[in-house]
Amino acid sequence: MAEEQLRFQKDKSMPHAISNLIDDTEDALRHPQGKFHAVFIDYTKSFDKLNRRTLISKLESITGKDKLITLIHNRLMAKFIQVIDDVSTPIIIPQANCILQGHPLMPLLFIVASYDVSQVIRN
């Protein structure tokens, strides 16, 4: 797990992130020719936009394809939206994105989904 990932981890929170930022900034200021870069990411609506197939691929790349990943895959992929009104026939639409918020797996799935973000930024 990336050390930059503070969300959904015990004993890590926004004050922890702010403290890290202050420490890193103070360290950079001690070096007159040094540079300091900070990236802030707004994950608003991240659960609503997360592609399930991408998430399953990331899980499989980490653990391989096993029974647990198959179980998670089946739980995530069987999602449909049904539109019903009083005028027309009900429409069933398959839903490719979105993870149910409040699901017990959400913290772990969010960490997996965002794991490589810090690596990409660092590179």
Side-chain angles (χ1 to χ4, degrees):
M1 182 176 312
E3 68 180 62
E4 296 89 353
Q5 172 61 267
L6 302 178
R7 183 121 175 161
F8 300 119
Q9 292 191 55
K10 186 178 179 181
D11 299 328
K12 294 191 177 180
S13 61
M14 184 56 72
H16 187 101
I18 292 169
S19 176
N20 286 350
L21 179 61
I22 291 169
D23 291 345
D24 291 346
T25 304
E26 288 173 349
D27 185 51
L29 290 173
R30 286 188 209 108
H31 304 91
Q33 301 300 323
K35 293 182 180 180
F36 180 72
H37 302 275
V39 176
F40 299 90
I41 300 173
D42 180 2
Y43 283 109
T44 303
K45 302 285 183 184
S46 59
F47 292 115
D48 296 337
K49 296 177 182 177
L50 184 61
N51 184 291
R52 291 189 213 125
R53 292 193 190 283
T54 302
L55 178 60
I56 294 298
S57 293
K58 283 187 175 188
L59 282 168
E60 288 176 350
S61 72
I62 293 169
T63 64
K65 190 169 184 171
D66 62 9
K67 290 180 181 179
L68 180 59
I69 300 304
T70 301
L71 180 65
I72 293 171
H73 176 272
N74 292 341
R75 178 68 177 106
L76 292 178
M77 298 310 287
K79 301 288 180 221
F80 297 90
I81 299 171
Q82 186 172 11
V83 179
I84 300 173
D85 61 26
D86 293 333
V87 179
S88 60
T89 307
I91 301 170
I92 297 176
I93 303 168
Q95 186 183 20
N97 294 333
C98 186
I99 304 293
L100 294 177
Q101 295 185 32
H103 191 280
L105 284 177
M106 283 318 308
L108 176 62
L109 295 178
F110 181 82
I111 289 169
V112 168
S114 61
Y115 174 76
D116 56 352
V117 171
S118 61
Q119 293 172 330
V120 169
I121 291 170
R122 213 177 298 118
N123 292 337

